[in-house]
């Protein structure tokens, strides 16, 4: 579904060029859930924007569904760190925003929007304004807004990082359910190891400055997964430990090879 | 804080919204009265509220008519200023080149003392309504431009990125995101401009008196009728308050979400 070949991104900055990403190679299959994890400033958001067509790579190429990405595509939806809802629009009208912008029929998508809201537990809030909702509910609305595009690929940029811990877990479990139901390909940027292990088929670990792909780890735990007690505590602990090691040992990695 | 306000009964809030301002006004008038009586001030210098009411009651029909003349000039001029200011601001926000070319010019025009232009307007347009309306426009258009531009350029980064990720056109982004987002700030500019509009109308009427409260003030000066001048001033103040709260009402109607966002 997504191929990234030798993608490199540099930005002009004061005092020279900043290498945000260097020679990233990654192939993501249809329906796969890939988490991208790394410290802040490792270029993980940049990687997401390359796939989403919001940035053009300075080197290498990115394709989605076989086509080279040059501009944003309608079958690729983005979910941002903040809900980015329009405060004057009702919840339902916020979900229908992409429909309007794409010039699709509002009438035809109305029911679908309502269904999405019900799927995320917001059925009774369609007419409310965003500020009447909690942060977690707002982020659910933005998830519905992405899903109304009927996306083949969802790009999520630390979508739960601005929420409190419990809401974050709740939404992660919900996202897993939605992903299992719809089978959308998801690229999920996070700095939470816990989230990555719960959600991802594979976790791509990026190292910082320049952002390089350090390692891709497969998480072979059957779904549905859950936080807390379950039958796979050992596998979860193993994967978490490995990710911890990769992320924390980064600074001294050259001197203390694993 | 917010929950506390919403649990307070609507009756209490209605009381606070109407009774308190009324009480404040009554106290101010009482104080004015007290000062004129206690200090034995000659009504020729500062008339008491009773003298002012007397002056008004000599011919209430005439006074109301003059008030309406001024108010309609203000409304027309202010309407033109708001519409024109919005349009100019949109053009400036749309094109960086146009903005750089014309913004200093607009600021310069705004810096010219409008009173100094009044005799020129008289030369160009003669007597009647037009020079007064033009004066209203000249005095009040600038805050609308500045606030609209500020609003249009303050779209949050995440909303801009959302628009880009949906490949929204310039027009779509403008109509669906930037303009609604700018509305609260636009209303700030409009509210700043309301008293200016009234000042503009009075300048016009004082420079070439025909009708309107400005003309009444000029007339009262020549007949040394201070209470009449005060009556005209009070009516001007009331006009200003009415216009201001008219704008506030329109704002509540158009941007009911703004207060919630700000809190």
């Amino acid at each position: 579904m997504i191929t990234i070949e030798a993608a490199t991104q540099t930005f002009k900055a004061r005092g020279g060029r900043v290498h945000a990403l260097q020679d990233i190679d990654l192939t993501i299959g249809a329906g796969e859930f890939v988490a991208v994890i790394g410290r802040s400033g490792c270029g993980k958001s940049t990687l997401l924007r390359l796939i989403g067509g919001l940035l053009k790579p300075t080197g290498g190429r990115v394709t989605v569904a076989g086509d080279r990405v040059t501009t944003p595509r309608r079958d690729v939806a983005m979910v941002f760190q903040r809900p980015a809802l329009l405060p004057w629009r009702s919840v339902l009208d916020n979900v229908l925003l992409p429909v309007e912008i794409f010039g699709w029929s509002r009438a035809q998508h109305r029911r679908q929007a309502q269904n999405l809201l019900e799927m995320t537990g917001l059925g009774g809030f369609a007419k409310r304004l965003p500020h009447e909702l909690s942060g977690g509910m707002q982020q659910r609305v933005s998830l519905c807004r992405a899903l109304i595009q009927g996306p083949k690929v969802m790009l999520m940029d630390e979508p739960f990082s601005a929420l409190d811990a419990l809401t974050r877990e709740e939404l992660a479990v919900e996202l897993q359910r939605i992903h299992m139901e719809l089978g959308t390909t998801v690229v999920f940027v996070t700095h939470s190891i816990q989230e990555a292990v719960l959600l991802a088929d594979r976790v791509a670990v990026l190292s910082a400055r320049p952002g390089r792909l350090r390692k891709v780890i497969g998480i072979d735990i059957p779904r549905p997964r859950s936080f807390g007690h379950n039958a796979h505590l050992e596998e979860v602990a193993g994967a978490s430990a490995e990710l911890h090691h990769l992320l924390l040992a980064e600074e001294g990695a050259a001197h203390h090879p694993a | 804080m917010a929950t506390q306000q919403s649990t307070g009964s609507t009756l209490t809030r209605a009381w606070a919204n109407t009774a308190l301002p009324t009480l404040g006004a009554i106290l101010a008038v009482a104080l004015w009265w007290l000062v004129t009586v206690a200090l034995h001030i000659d009504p020729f210098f500062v008339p008491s509220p009773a003298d002012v009411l007397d002056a008004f009651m000599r011919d209430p029909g005439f006074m109301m008519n003059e008030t309406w003349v001024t108010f309609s000039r203000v409304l027309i001029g202010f309407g033109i200023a708001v519409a024109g200011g919005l349009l100019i601001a949109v053009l400036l926000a749309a094109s960086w080149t146009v903005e750089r070319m014309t913004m200093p010019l607009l600021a310069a025009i705004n810096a010219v003392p409008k009173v100094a232009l009044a005799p020129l307007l008289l030369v160009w347009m003669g007597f009647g309504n037009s020079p007064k309306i033009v004066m209203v426009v000249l005095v009040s258009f600038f805050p609308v431009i500045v606030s609209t531009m500020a609003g249009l350029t303050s779209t949050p980064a995440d909303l801009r990125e959302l628009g880009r990720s949906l490949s929204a056109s310039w027009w779509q982004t403008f109509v669906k995101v930037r303009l609604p987002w700018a509305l609260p700030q636009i209303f700030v500019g409009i509210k700043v401009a309301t008293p200016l509009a009234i000042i503009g109308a009075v300048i016009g009427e004082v420079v070439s008196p025909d009708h309107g409260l400005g003309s009444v003030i000029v007339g009262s000066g020549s007949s040394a009728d201070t209470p009449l001048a005060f009556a005209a001033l009070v009516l001007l103040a009331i006009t200003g308050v009415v216009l201001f709260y008219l704008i506030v009402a329109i704002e509540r109607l158009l941007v009911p979400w703004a207060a919630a966002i700000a809190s």
Side-chain angles (χ1 to χ4, degrees):
Chain A
M1 179 60 65
I2 305 169
T3 59
I4 302 161
E5 292 164 16
T8 297
Q9 184 74 42
T10 58
F11 294 107
K12 276 187 201 127
R14 271 165 173 258
R17 303 180 73 81
V18 175
H19 288 258
L21 288 174
Q22 190 142 26
D23 295 322
I24 304 281
D25 286 296
L26 188 63
T27 305
I28 297 169
E32 200 178 5
F33 197 121
V34 171
V36 178
I37 197 167
R39 295 169 159 236
S40 42
C42 72
K44 46 195 197 299
S45 292
T46 306
L47 183 63
L48 211 64
R49 276 159 182 72
L50 288 182
I51 304 171
L54 291 172
L55 279 176
K56 266 188 198 141
T58 33
R61 51 183 264 147
V62 177
T63 68
V64 170
D67 304 317
R68 187 160 187 170
V69 176
T70 47
T71 51
R73 303 162 51 113
R74 291 185 176 183
D75 55 3
V76 175
M78 293 202 73
V79 177
F80 303 102
Q81 186 172 356
R82 302 210 307 155
L85 302 175
L86 302 178
W88 52 90
R89 281 182 172 238
S90 69
V91 164
L92 185 71
D93 286 341
N94 263 295
V95 174
L96 286 169
L97 180 74
V99 171
E100 282 174 29
I101 287 181
F102 294 166
W104 297 346
S105 153
R106 255 180 79 96
Q108 280 174 25
H109 289 81
R110 216 187 162 79
R111 164 167 298 222
Q112 196 197 342
Q114 190 62 45
N115 288 344
L116 285 170
L117 287 174
E118 255 143 48
M119 183 175 82
T120 50
L122 292 172
F125 295 89
K127 297 219 158 63
R128 299 292 192 87
L129 288 176
H131 73 263
E132 301 174 286
L133 273 56
S134 70
M137 290 160 94
Q138 290 182 11
Q139 197 54 286
R140 277 170 217 221
V141 177
S142 89
L143 190 64
C144 291
R145 181 182 59 199
L147 289 171
I148 196 117
Q149 293 178 235
K152 288 182 187 149
V153 175
M154 290 243 284
L155 304 175
M156 309 184 78
D157 190 3
E158 303 190 27
F160 308 146
S161 63
L163 304 170
D164 67 84
L166 282 175
T167 311
R168 199 150 66 206
E169 293 185 2
E170 208 175 275
L171 277 180
V173 171
E174 205 160 308
L175 177 63
Q176 169 178 247
R177 184 172 59 78
I178 291 167
H179 174 244
M180 286 169 69
E181 208 168 298
L182 303 178
T184 316
T185 310
V186 181
V187 183
F188 185 93
V189 166
T190 181
H191 51 235
S192 159
I193 290 172
Q194 210 193 6
E195 263 173 24
V197 174
L198 179 87
L199 287 166
D201 298 308
R202 288 188 297 155
V203 182
V205 183
L206 293 191
S207 65
R209 286 191 188 107
R212 291 176 196 273
L213 193 56
R214 193 166 156 80
K215 196 169 181 186
V216 180
I217 293 174
I219 312 279
D220 295 317
I221 303 172
R223 294 177 195 276
R225 302 172 191 162
S226 63
F227 290 115
H229 280 291
N230 57 53
H232 305 281
L233 280 180
E234 257 177 58
E235 288 104 311
V236 170
S240 301
E242 187 173 3
L243 288 172
H244 262 293
H245 181 82
L246 284 168
L247 288 168
L248 293 176
E250 198 170 276
E251 310 292 309
H255 308 288
H256 309 284
Chain B
M1 210 36 207
T3 47
Q4 227 171 17
Q5 265 175 1
S6 58
T7 49
S9 75
T10 44
L11 196 71
T12 323
R13 249 185 303 157
W15 163 254
N17 282 342
T18 55
L20 288 179
T22 312
L23 187 67
I26 290 172
L27 283 176
V29 171
L31 187 69
W32 169 14
W33 206 326
L34 196 71
V35 168
T36 51
V37 171
L39 303 179
H40 303 290
I41 297 176
D42 185 341
F44 179 73
F45 293 111
V46 181
S48 77
D51 299 327
V52 173
L53 191 63
D54 259 2
F56 175 77
M57 291 312 286
R58 259 183 269 152
D59 195 347
F62 167 77
M63 290 302 277
M64 287 318 288
N65 191 49
E66 300 307 290
T67 307
W68 174 247
V69 168
T70 302
F71 192 53
S72 58
R73 283 168 177 165
V74 168
L75 278 187
I76 295 169
F78 194 51
I80 296 172
V82 169
L86 282 175
L87 197 72
I88 291 173
V90 168
L91 288 176
L92 294 184
S95 159
W96 185 84
T97 320
V98 176
E99 198 250 277
R100 282 300 141 96
M101 248 167 68
T102 52
M103 198 57 192
L105 205 64
L106 287 169
I109 292 173
N110 185 52
V112 170
K114 304 308 177 308
V115 190
L117 287 179
L120 285 173
L121 292 179
L122 200 65
V123 170
W124 293 331
M125 292 172 213
F127 301 93
N129 274 329
S130 5
K132 282 92 176 176
I133 291 172
V134 169
M135 184 57 76
V136 173
V137 176
L138 283 176
V139 169
S140 60
F141 79 100
F142 200 69
V144 180
I145 293 183
V146 173
S147 66
T148 305
M149 285 191 62
L152 286 175
T153 49
S154 71
T155 318
D158 47 359
L159 291 186
R160 270 186 282 141
E161 193 158 47
L162 173 70
R164 289 217 305 134
S165 78
L166 295 172
S167 299
S169 67
W170 184 90
W171 179 248
Q172 283 175 326
T173 314
F174 182 78
V175 172
K176 291 184 193 297
V177 181
R178 290 178 72 197
L179 189 61
W181 184 268
L183 275 179
Q185 263 171 292
I186 293 174
F187 270 101
V188 171
I190 292 177
K191 281 189 260 183
V192 168
T194 47
L196 296 177
I198 290 173
I199 292 170
V202 172
I203 294 175
E205 289 170 356
V206 166
V207 172
S208 67
D210 50 355
H211 286 287
L213 291 171
S215 314
V216 171
I217 293 172
V218 173
S220 72
S222 57
S223 61
D225 190 351
T226 318
L228 186 66
F230 266 74
L233 288 178
V234 170
L235 286 170
L236 278 174
I238 292 172
T239 308
V241 171
V242 168
L243 189 61
F244 185 81
Y245 281 102
L246 204 65
I247 302 293
V248 170
I250 295 173
E251 184 185 15
R252 292 249 170 93
L253 212 66
L254 281 181
V255 219
W257 47 272
I261 302 300
S263 67

